[in-house]
Amino acid sequence: MGLELAAVLTRPRAASRSCQRATMASQPLRLAEEYGPSPGESELAVNPFDGLPYSSRYYELLEQRHTLPIWAARFTFLEQLESNPTGVVLVSGEPGSGKSTQIPQWCAEFVLARGFQKGQVTVTQPYPLAARSLALRVADEMDLTLGHEVGYSIPQEDCTGPNTLLRFCWDRLLLQEVASTRGTGVWGVLVLDEAQERSVASDSLQGLLQDARLENLPGDLRVVVVTDPALEPKLRAFWGNPPIVHIPREAGERPSPIYRDTIPPDRVEAACQAVLELCRKEAPGDVLVYLPSEEEISLCCESLSREVESLPLQRLPPRVLPLHPDCGQAVQAVYEDMDARKVVVTHWLADFSFSLPSIQHVIDSGLELRSVYNPRIRAEFQVLRPISKCQAEARRLRARGFPPGSCLCLYPKSFLELEAPPLPQPRVCEENLSSLVLLLKRRQIAEPGECHFLDQPAPEALMQALEDLDYLAALDDDGDLSDLGVILSEFPLAPELAKALLASCEFDCVDEMLTLAAMLTAAPGFTRPPLSAEEAALRRALEHTDGDHSSLIQVYEAFIQSGADEAWCQARGLNWAALCQAHKLRRELLELMQRIELPLSLPAFGSEQNRRDLQKALVSGYFLKVARDTDGTGNYLLLTHKHVAQLSSYCCYRSRRAPARPPPWVFYHNFTISKDNCLSIVSEIEPQMLVELAPPYFLSNLPPSESRDLLNQLREGMADSSAGSESSSVQEFRDPCVLQ
């Protein structure tokens, strides 16, 4: 967890916190600087948030805060927050200026000065890791206890309490809360941080606020939008010229980027060699390496960890640290003070978040790997593309200082000038919008296209989302949310997975479906090939004959039986942190089902009846994701469009020692178009079950194909059989009547 986190969590509590707050509430409204002591004041100065004396660490951190560029804008910001009649304040500043740590504290002081009458401060972040990390840092700077006055809310982890005044929150989780019956609590100030990241939730929250759609929020809500200067003009126009607080540029020289003549054929090798060269020169300062993907981050970390041990250095060998969403709480290691040099290897996650003052050298690949959803074929593309000019500048600024550090760009200067867009791509134009449209419908927005967005999504993306929700019975005949759709919107799951979970109530397989929903969301199986024959054998022991979905249940149960042992996971190439998240999510989903009083069922995994029931529940949600092997060789034609795909290399049907003929019909969790078009998380299905459970109009709307013809023939045959059974039943009923 780290020494810093432990210190924040173990700060002693004051029994008279409510009395202290009542005292503050009785005082006249004052600007927050009246409450904050200076380092020269008495050591007995009392923290107004918890009634305890300030510690010596508070004064040390306060001196550091005074040196931040944003500190010069403190009075201006508080004045605008207090007096602006529109309630919206825009804050514009470069990465590393202190926006993300200081603005929330000043908003908390603003709420404190108002006597806590208008509720808490909520700060959104585009990444869960950033929300946790910032909550930890801000609690330390405010001399408060994490989980009490300062807290955070991220998936499967709510570190808040009844006295929480300042909450950091993943923006998508907040959007879910806004739309669901869980509500939003009472807000005094809402801070939308890192708006330039253009996440779906951040853009949507701005649209809802701008349209005044959040009727349950207080009328005098203050909204603070924090952004990089590159997005400032767009935000200013969107919000109708609100007051803007400009943060002065950080003192320190900016490094001149060093460009390569050509793009290296092996980015990982080029980045490793650049790091090793810095280590050989023993240039002071930590190193930040940007690569496109988590796979390349892992390869780079493994290679560097081997190489640095053999370097002839006069100091401790560098410590290589990955930084990406799967790091979990281990991310705090990048902030720890250590004698050895730190080499942090990351990707787009750290373009604007995770400011690291010790960084003096940046190595930038200039690329990012992103998933881009194509609504026409319901598939995700893995797109390797240039970063934006805004991101490139943010990366370069990581190495500024006195003297400036270095910034090595593993690409020619012309590459960025000719191919890079000015700003990051808005994610609302690149993601599947089904979940978003479901939430907008929950807010009684009849036409999602009418909602204001910074950039309007493509009409076909909205239409595809509406069509999918209609197929899932989430919409009624008027296009509003059905009763089923209201329940679907309560779950933090993709709509098709939520529908499968609800269907499990009907088919008596809730226990197994809860496990599967958690695993598909948090820990979808193996993510790399086995490293040895022993590991491959251990993996095969976890495979289930019914396919990948049942294999995931088997993996989870074996993980729980192992006592959630990390070594057990490592021996099988499983992600221990992801499985722990799946365990937490399963518990959260179970509590949610109990809260809305949905029926549960006892475990029955392994029985033949449970096998069929689980298939029925899954098909009820995943009938949109079915494919048929057209030639018996594993070339699967997708039903909803005429793309051909193969099974993923991690699919259990491909890893068996003596593979039989591939399943003729399968349903899948994901279809990804990359180097090889592949279906991931696949299980066999009987076409009769698809005809039985899919809406008839869905089958009728399928594009012409041999598969559609086969399904329609089955449907007609089943209809004739059903009609014959009814006729026979009527005759059996009539005959006894005649005899009587």
Side-chain angles (χ1 to χ4, degrees):
M1 185 177 292
L3 297 177
E4 188 179 34
L5 178 58
V8 176
L9 289 174
T10 55
R11 178 173 162 81
R13 310 305 314 140
S16 59
R17 183 185 298 106
S18 58
C19 297
Q20 293 286 344
R21 289 189 171 184
T23 302
M24 295 304 306
S26 66
Q27 297 179 6
L29 182 65
R30 299 180 292 171
L31 284 178
E33 61 263 26
E34 297 181 36
Y35 297 120
S38 63
E41 290 184 10
S42 169
E43 291 294 324
L44 297 179
V46 172
N47 188 330
F49 290 102
D50 66 357
L52 294 174
Y54 284 110
S55 67
S56 59
R57 178 166 175 78
Y58 172 83
Y59 295 104
E60 295 172 7
L61 294 176
L62 185 62
E63 288 184 359
Q64 297 177 19
R65 294 169 63 193
H66 285 166
T67 65
L68 293 170
I70 196 174
W71 200 264
R74 184 171 185 261
F75 181 83
T76 302
F77 171 76
L78 288 167
E79 190 175 43
Q80 293 289 358
L81 192 63
E82 171 64 33
S83 61
N84 176 32
T86 67
V88 178
V89 178
L90 186 61
V91 179
S92 175
E94 294 178 339
S97 58
K99 307 185 300 296
S100 296
T101 55
Q102 304 312 301
I103 292 293
Q105 295 184 60
W106 299 344
C107 291
E109 292 168 356
F110 169 77
V111 172
L112 173 70
R114 301 173 109 199
F116 302 95
Q117 297 173 3
K118 301 300 180 182
Q120 66 174 207
V121 178
T122 296
V123 185
T124 67
Q125 289 294 323
Y127 309 114
L129 278 184
R132 182 201 285 124
S133 180
L134 281 169
L136 170 61
R137 176 64 184 182
V138 168
D140 198 22
E141 289 188 359
M142 295 179 72
D143 217 20
L144 296 172
T145 304
L146 189 66
H148 290 264
E149 294 82 9
V150 179
Y152 62 88
S153 299
I154 60 177
Q156 295 85 61
E157 198 170 344
D158 183 25
C159 187
T160 61
N163 294 308
T164 298
L165 172 69
L166 175 57
R167 179 175 77 132
F168 291 84
C169 184
W170 184 36
D171 55 13
R172 188 163 296 191
L173 189 62
L174 185 67
L175 182 63
Q176 177 84 19
E177 290 178 4
V178 164
S180 74
T181 57
R182 280 171 279 176
T184 58
V186 181
W187 296 341
V189 183
L190 175 60
V191 181
L192 302 174
D193 198 6
E194 307 293 9
Q196 75 283 344
E197 292 273 13
R198 305 304 309 276
S199 70
V200 171
S202 179
D203 279 13
S204 302
L205 285 167
Q206 291 187 69
L208 291 169
L209 289 165
Q210 209 261 5
D211 288 345
R213 300 285 188 178
L214 304 183
E215 298 89 350
N216 58 325
L217 296 182
D220 60 349
L221 169 72
R222 297 297 198 272
V223 177
V224 181
V225 183
V226 185
T227 184
D228 185 88
L231 193 63
E232 179 190 321
K234 195 176 190 74
L235 288 171
R236 185 172 63 243
F238 180 80
W239 285 102
N241 289 314
I244 302 175
V245 178
H246 290 101
I247 301 173
R249 285 190 167 191
E250 183 176 358
E253 298 179 24
R254 296 161 183 248
S256 298
I258 302 170
Y259 295 97
R260 289 285 175 88
D261 294 333
T262 59
I263 297 176
D266 187 336
R267 289 182 297 273
V268 173
E269 177 64 21
C272 289
Q273 291 304 316
V275 171
L276 294 173
E277 184 63 24
L278 286 170
C279 294
R280 292 189 189 97
K281 293 179 179 178
E282 303 209 24
D286 294 338
V287 183
L288 185 60
V289 181
Y290 286 97
L291 290 169
S293 67
E294 293 181 20
E295 181 182 0
E296 289 180 299
I297 291 172
S298 298
L299 291 173
C300 184
C301 289
E302 291 171 7
S303 177
L304 283 175
S305 297
R306 291 192 304 267
E307 296 288 341
V308 296
E309 294 296 333
S310 60
L311 289 176
L313 303 176
Q314 298 184 6
R315 51 186 293 186
L316 291 173
R319 185 174 175 187
V320 182
L321 302 169
L323 176 56
H324 54 74
D326 286 342
C327 289
Q329 293 190 2
V331 72
Q332 291 304 130
V334 303
Y335 292 107
E336 293 176 0
D337 293 329
M338 53 186 71
D339 295 331
R341 180 206 299 271
K342 286 181 286 191
V343 178
V344 181
V345 188
T346 186
H347 56 18
W348 40 262
L349 177 69
D351 283 339
F352 302 102
S353 303
F354 301 98
S355 294
L356 305 170
S358 61
I359 296 297
Q360 292 191 31
H361 308 281
V362 171
I363 299 168
D364 180 16
S365 67
L367 296 168
E368 63 178 6
L369 185 69
R370 290 282 195 169
S371 292
V372 178
Y373 185 75
N374 186 331
R376 295 179 180 177
I377 60 174
R378 292 183 173 89
E380 287 190 345
F381 288 76
Q382 293 293 309
V383 179
L384 183 65
R385 65 191 184 192
I387 59 174
S388 66
K389 293 182 174 67
C390 175
Q391 291 169 277
E393 178 66 9
R395 294 179 179 189
R396 180 171 75 94
L397 291 178
R398 298 292 193 184
R400 64 190 159 195
F402 290 115
S406 66
C407 178
L408 173 62
C409 302
L410 302 177
Y411 51 86
K413 187 176 182 180
S414 59
F415 170 76
L416 207 62
E417 293 174 345
L418 297 176
E419 300 190 39
L423 293 167
Q425 296 294 326
R427 299 301 296 164
V428 76
C429 298
E430 297 187 335
E431 290 190 9
N432 185 344
L433 300 183
S434 295
S435 295
L436 173 62
V437 171
L438 186 68
L439 296 180
L440 293 179
K441 287 286 185 180
R442 184 66 185 269
R443 296 301 311 175
Q444 297 181 340
I445 299 174
E447 295 296 334
E450 295 177 359
C451 182
H452 279 83
F453 291 97
L454 283 169
D455 287 276
Q456 202 69 16
E460 58 264 29
L462 292 171
M463 288 302 298
Q464 178 264 318
L466 287 168
E467 182 180 64
D468 287 0
L469 293 176
D470 186 46
Y471 283 141
L472 292 170
L475 304 179
D476 60 22
D477 293 340
D478 297 324
D480 299 323
L481 273 194
S482 64
D483 292 341
L484 176 65
V486 172
I487 299 176
L488 291 180
S489 68
E490 286 288 307
F491 287 90
L493 303 171
E496 65 271 17
L497 186 53
K499 173 68 181 295
L501 182 56
L502 288 183
S504 70
C505 298
E506 176 185 355
F507 296 115
D508 294 325
C509 55
V510 176
D511 186 83
E512 292 76 21
M513 198 61 226
L514 279 170
T515 298
L516 197 48
M519 290 292 285
L520 288 170
T521 303
F526 304 105
T527 56
R528 61 165 177 80
L531 302 179
S532 64
E534 182 182 2
E535 182 179 312
L538 291 173
R539 286 190 182 191
R540 281 194 296 273
L542 295 173
E543 293 175 356
H544 196 283
T545 55
D546 285 344
D548 293 337
H549 294 83
S550 294
S551 295
L552 285 178
I553 297 176
Q554 201 150 271
V555 166
Y556 177 83
E557 292 188 346
F559 169 70
I560 297 301
Q561 289 172 6
S562 76
D565 182 38
E566 187 171 2
W568 181 91
C569 294
Q570 290 175 347
R572 291 156 179 80
L574 290 164
N575 188 320
W576 174 80
L579 283 166
C580 291
Q581 285 294 96
H583 182 58
K584 293 178 183 177
L585 177 57
R586 190 188 188 282
R587 185 168 60 241
E588 179 184 316
L589 292 173
L590 177 59
E591 292 172 356
L592 180 56
M593 293 189 74
Q594 292 171 332
R595 181 173 66 81
I596 57 182
E597 299 181 352
L598 291 172
L600 305 177
S601 60
L602 295 174
F605 183 64
S607 69
E608 181 61 26
Q609 182 62 44
N610 181 263
R611 170 182 172 273
R612 290 191 60 81
D613 289 341
L614 187 59
Q615 280 188 338
K616 288 181 179 180
L618 284 165
V619 172
S620 298
Y622 282 88
F623 56 84
L624 284 162
K625 297 183 174 182
V626 173
R628 172 174 170 261
D629 184 6
T630 56
D631 56 9
T633 62
N635 290 315
Y636 285 90
L637 183 70
L638 278 62
L639 258 62
T640 53
H641 49 83
K642 295 184 178 181
H643 269 70
V644 176
Q646 285 74 41
L647 301 181
S648 163
S649 58
Y650 304 118
C651 176
C652 69
Y653 293 116
R654 292 189 60 175
S655 61
R656 292 172 182 170
R657 287 177 179 267
R661 185 177 185 272
W665 293 79
V666 297
F667 64 93
Y668 56 91
H669 183 61
N670 273 329
F671 170 44
T672 303
I673 296 179
S674 54
K675 291 180 292 187
D676 51 344
N677 300 349
C678 65
L679 307 176
S680 58
I681 316 295
V682 172
S683 293
E684 185 172 4
I685 179 182
E686 297 175 4
Q688 292 86 350
M689 189 178 291
L690 177 63
V691 172
E692 175 188 348
L693 296 170
Y697 56 92
F698 165 72
L699 299 177
S700 301
N701 292 339
L702 288 173
S705 68
E706 184 182 356
S707 301
R708 188 187 75 166
D709 294 341
L710 289 171
L711 292 173
N712 283 327
Q713 289 173 14
L714 278 173
R715 182 170 63 174
E716 292 169 3
M718 292 171 67
D720 292 341
S721 174
S722 176
S725 299
E726 290 178 6
S727 175
S728 174
S729 298
V730 170
Q731 185 62 39
E732 289 174 4
F733 175 77
R734 287 174 178 171
D735 288 345
C737 293
V738 172
L739 288 173
Q740 289 176 356

